[in-house]
Amino acid sequence: MTEAVLLVGGQGTRLRPLTINTPKPMLPVAGVPFTVHQITRAREAGVTRIVLATSYRADVFREFIDVSDLGIEVVIATEDEPLGTGGAIRHALPFLDSGPDEPVLVFNGDVLTGLDIRGLVDHHDSTGSDVTLYLTPVDDPRAYGLVPTDLSGRVTAFLEKPTTDAEIVTHNINAGCYVFRRSVIDSIPGGRPVSVERETFPALLESGALVTGVVDSGYWLDLGTPLAFVQGSRDLVLGAAPSPAVPSHGDLLVLPGAQVSSRAQVHGGTVVGREAFIADGAVVDGCVVFDGARIEAGARVHNSIVGVGAVVGEGCVLHGTVVGDGAVIGAGNELLTGVRVWPGAILAPGTVRFSSDR
Ligand code: GTP
């Protein structure tokens, strides 16, 4: 038996305004809350029990888990105050059944990955490591802390984000999935915020513990930003990212009750949510259209997220935009990458326009 802790208590500030009412791991991705993709992947890898470490909007997780059968035991641990990544793992300890030397998997709640989870646990067991980290190589590591290893795979340091080329000693970064020997979790201080990346891991190295890195260059994506979120959704629909919760793949996923005009072009891994509507002549490419949203005639929407019940008016052009729940974008507006429209906002027709040759 293997247990896992899923860290899902963060505020998801980079994905605002989508995360104002719904915590990031509960946002629907390819038809189900993102956390379901992670839970079912863990289940397929032989995990039999999951502790959901919640804090921000814990009620939303509780309501969902109470009525769902995910084929695996799910226990909810809720922090009164957010305890950070390490504090959340420590807070989950009384909810774990594993013995002191048994492996406990820990996942960040926003990582989409093709990692061989079972392989990571087996590696942890065979090396006798205290902690084993999943590392992934990235082309440009300047936005991340770096995790160099020696030839045997032993982690030698946890380095802050590099600011010069000379500081880029490896392209491997912490990919947000770990295996802990359970007794290592016991040693994390309780009752106060702790960062696993900044405090727990460096302290383990300092104490001479065996911390091992496993580099896997397969699919990996952190869904923390709007553009990454639409990419993750797209990749799940198209089949580029694996999940047992997506039964079949195609150019689009239309959820029950949605209406897509036969004169609309919807493709690129777009998800059309329940009861959503796409009108004649609309082009919707690589988007996430949440439940009950409307995209009116002739609108062109690319790489964007359209919130629950939001309306994109006739002839609008949206690229890389986030439209909050219930917002109304009046006809003829043009919104480009980075624009975020707050829930319930109303943009009068033709208020924002860019040159027509764009
Ligand atoms: P941003 O605010 O956009 O950075 O997103 P985030 O809140 O998810 O933070 P971050 O991506 O750094 O967190 C990594 C993982 O740890 C995510 O899955 C979070 O849900 C989770 N997490 C972060 N802080 C806490 C916490 O205090 N408690 C719990 N239970 N989970 C946390």
Short mmCIF file of all heavy atoms in Angstrom, two decimals, residues 206-232:
data_model
loop_
_atom_site.label_atom_id
_atom_site.label_comp_id
_atom_site.label_asym_id
_atom_site.label_seq_id
_atom_site.Cartn_x
_atom_site.Cartn_y
_atom_site.Cartn_z
N GLU A 206 21.89 19.57 4.84
CA GLU A 206 22.80 20.03 5.91
C GLU A 206 23.05 18.91 6.93
O GLU A 206 24.16 18.72 7.40
CB GLU A 206 22.13 21.22 6.60
CG GLU A 206 22.96 21.98 7.59
CD GLU A 206 23.86 23.00 6.91
OE1 GLU A 206 23.86 23.13 5.66
OE2 GLU A 206 24.57 23.66 7.64
N SER A 207 22.00 18.13 7.21
CA SER A 207 22.12 17.09 8.24
C SER A 207 22.72 15.80 7.69
O SER A 207 22.84 14.81 8.42
CB SER A 207 20.75 16.80 8.84
OG SER A 207 19.95 16.12 7.86
N GLY A 208 23.03 15.77 6.38
CA GLY A 208 23.65 14.58 5.79
C GLY A 208 22.65 13.54 5.33
O GLY A 208 23.02 12.41 5.00
N ALA A 209 21.37 13.87 5.32
CA ALA A 209 20.35 12.91 4.86
C ALA A 209 20.57 12.60 3.39
O ALA A 209 21.16 13.39 2.64
CB ALA A 209 18.96 13.51 5.07
N LEU A 210 20.09 11.42 2.97
CA LEU A 210 20.21 11.03 1.56
C LEU A 210 18.99 11.54 0.79
O LEU A 210 17.88 11.02 0.94
CB LEU A 210 20.32 9.50 1.43
CG LEU A 210 20.41 8.98 -0.02
CD1 LEU A 210 21.58 9.63 -0.78
CD2 LEU A 210 20.54 7.45 -0.04
N VAL A 211 19.24 12.59 0.00
CA VAL A 211 18.17 13.17 -0.83
C VAL A 211 18.55 12.88 -2.27
O VAL A 211 19.62 13.27 -2.73
CB VAL A 211 18.04 14.69 -0.58
CG1 VAL A 211 16.93 15.27 -1.44
CG2 VAL A 211 17.80 14.98 0.89
N THR A 212 17.68 12.17 -2.97
CA THR A 212 18.00 11.70 -4.32
C THR A 212 17.12 12.39 -5.34
O THR A 212 15.95 12.67 -5.06
CB THR A 212 17.76 10.16 -4.38
OG1 THR A 212 18.58 9.55 -3.40
CG2 THR A 212 18.11 9.59 -5.74
N GLY A 213 17.68 12.66 -6.52
CA GLY A 213 16.89 13.24 -7.60
C GLY A 213 16.70 12.23 -8.72
O GLY A 213 17.64 11.50 -9.07
N VAL A 214 15.50 12.17 -9.26
CA VAL A 214 15.24 11.32 -10.43
C VAL A 214 14.83 12.25 -11.57
O VAL A 214 13.81 12.95 -11.48
CB VAL A 214 14.11 10.31 -10.14
CG1 VAL A 214 13.70 9.58 -11.41
CG2 VAL A 214 14.53 9.33 -9.07
N VAL A 215 15.66 12.30 -12.61
CA VAL A 215 15.39 13.20 -13.73
C VAL A 215 14.51 12.49 -14.74
O VAL A 215 14.84 11.39 -15.19
CB VAL A 215 16.70 13.66 -14.40
CG1 VAL A 215 16.40 14.65 -15.53
CG2 VAL A 215 17.64 14.27 -13.37
N ASP A 216 13.40 13.12 -15.07
CA ASP A 216 12.48 12.54 -16.06
C ASP A 216 12.17 13.66 -17.05
O ASP A 216 11.68 14.72 -16.66
CB ASP A 216 11.20 12.06 -15.36
CG ASP A 216 10.23 11.37 -16.31
OD1 ASP A 216 9.86 11.99 -17.33
OD2 ASP A 216 9.83 10.24 -16.01
N SER A 217 12.46 13.42 -18.33
CA SER A 217 12.27 14.50 -19.30
C SER A 217 10.97 14.34 -20.09
O SER A 217 10.79 14.96 -21.12
CB SER A 217 13.48 14.58 -20.24
OG SER A 217 13.79 13.30 -20.70
N GLY A 218 10.06 13.53 -19.56
CA GLY A 218 8.75 13.39 -20.21
C GLY A 218 7.86 14.61 -19.94
O GLY A 218 8.33 15.65 -19.47
N TYR A 219 6.57 14.46 -20.23
CA TYR A 219 5.63 15.59 -20.13
C TYR A 219 5.62 16.16 -18.71
O TYR A 219 5.47 15.44 -17.73
CB TYR A 219 4.22 15.14 -20.51
CG TYR A 219 3.27 16.31 -20.60
CD1 TYR A 219 3.00 16.92 -21.82
CD2 TYR A 219 2.67 16.82 -19.45
CE1 TYR A 219 2.17 18.02 -21.87
CE2 TYR A 219 1.83 17.92 -19.51
CZ TYR A 219 1.58 18.51 -20.73
OH TYR A 219 0.76 19.61 -20.79
N TRP A 220 5.72 17.49 -18.60
CA TRP A 220 5.62 18.17 -17.30
C TRP A 220 5.11 19.58 -17.54
O TRP A 220 5.61 20.28 -18.42
CB TRP A 220 6.98 18.25 -16.60
CG TRP A 220 6.91 19.00 -15.31
CD1 TRP A 220 6.52 18.50 -14.11
CD2 TRP A 220 7.23 20.38 -15.09
NE1 TRP A 220 6.56 19.48 -13.15
CE2 TRP A 220 7.00 20.65 -13.73
CE3 TRP A 220 7.69 21.42 -15.89
CZ2 TRP A 220 7.21 21.90 -13.15
CZ3 TRP A 220 7.89 22.67 -15.33
CH2 TRP A 220 7.67 22.91 -13.98
N LEU A 221 4.13 19.98 -16.77
CA LEU A 221 3.62 21.35 -16.88
C LEU A 221 3.07 21.79 -15.53
O LEU A 221 2.33 21.06 -14.87
CB LEU A 221 2.50 21.39 -17.93
CG LEU A 221 1.95 22.77 -18.30
CD1 LEU A 221 3.00 23.60 -19.04
CD2 LEU A 221 0.71 22.62 -19.19
N ASP A 222 3.44 23.00 -15.12
CA ASP A 222 2.88 23.61 -13.91
C ASP A 222 1.74 24.51 -14.38
O ASP A 222 1.97 25.47 -15.12
CB ASP A 222 4.01 24.41 -13.24
CG ASP A 222 3.52 25.34 -12.15
OD1 ASP A 222 2.29 25.50 -11.99
OD2 ASP A 222 4.38 25.91 -11.46
N LEU A 223 0.53 24.17 -13.97
CA LEU A 223 -0.64 24.89 -14.50
C LEU A 223 -0.93 26.20 -13.76
O LEU A 223 -2.07 26.65 -13.70
CB LEU A 223 -1.90 24.01 -14.41
CG LEU A 223 -2.16 23.11 -15.60
CD1 LEU A 223 -1.24 21.92 -15.56
CD2 LEU A 223 -3.60 22.62 -15.60
N GLY A 224 0.10 26.82 -13.23
CA GLY A 224 -0.11 27.96 -12.34
C GLY A 224 -0.52 29.27 -13.01
O GLY A 224 -1.04 30.16 -12.34
N THR A 225 -0.28 29.43 -14.32
CA THR A 225 -0.61 30.70 -14.99
C THR A 225 -1.72 30.45 -16.01
O THR A 225 -1.91 29.32 -16.45
CB THR A 225 0.62 31.26 -15.72
OG1 THR A 225 0.98 30.32 -16.74
CG2 THR A 225 1.80 31.48 -14.79
N PRO A 226 -2.42 31.52 -16.44
CA PRO A 226 -3.50 31.31 -17.40
C PRO A 226 -3.04 30.62 -18.68
O PRO A 226 -3.70 29.69 -19.17
CB PRO A 226 -4.00 32.73 -17.69
CG PRO A 226 -3.69 33.49 -16.45
CD PRO A 226 -2.39 32.91 -15.93
N LEU A 227 -1.90 31.03 -19.24
CA LEU A 227 -1.47 30.41 -20.49
C LEU A 227 -1.11 28.94 -20.29
O LEU A 227 -1.40 28.08 -21.13
CB LEU A 227 -0.30 31.17 -21.11
CG LEU A 227 -0.68 32.52 -21.75
CD1 LEU A 227 0.55 33.23 -22.31
CD2 LEU A 227 -1.73 32.37 -22.85
N ALA A 228 -0.49 28.63 -19.14
CA ALA A 228 -0.17 27.22 -18.85
C ALA A 228 -1.45 26.43 -18.60
O ALA A 228 -1.55 25.26 -18.99
CB ALA A 228 0.75 27.13 -17.63
N PHE A 229 -2.43 27.07 -17.99
CA PHE A 229 -3.70 26.39 -17.72
C PHE A 229 -4.39 25.97 -19.02
O PHE A 229 -4.82 24.83 -19.17
CB PHE A 229 -4.60 27.31 -16.90
CG PHE A 229 -5.89 26.66 -16.46
CD1 PHE A 229 -5.93 25.87 -15.32
CD2 PHE A 229 -7.05 26.84 -17.18
CE1 PHE A 229 -7.11 25.26 -14.92
CE2 PHE A 229 -8.23 26.24 -16.79
CZ PHE A 229 -8.27 25.45 -15.65
N VAL A 230 -4.46 26.88 -19.99
CA VAL A 230 -5.09 26.51 -21.27
C VAL A 230 -4.23 25.47 -22.00
O VAL A 230 -4.77 24.56 -22.62
CB VAL A 230 -5.40 27.71 -22.21
CG1 VAL A 230 -6.62 28.46 -21.80
CG2 VAL A 230 -4.25 28.63 -22.38
N GLN A 231 -2.93 25.59 -21.87
CA GLN A 231 -2.07 24.59 -22.54
C GLN A 231 -2.31 23.20 -21.95
O GLN A 231 -2.43 22.21 -22.67
CB GLN A 231 -0.60 24.97 -22.41
CG GLN A 231 0.28 24.03 -23.24
CD GLN A 231 1.75 24.25 -23.02
OE1 GLN A 231 2.18 25.35 -22.65
NE2 GLN A 231 2.54 23.21 -23.23
N GLY A 232 -2.39 23.11 -20.61
CA GLY A 232 -2.61 21.82 -19.95
C GLY A 232 -3.94 21.22 -20.38
O GLY A 232 -4.04 20.03 -20.68
#
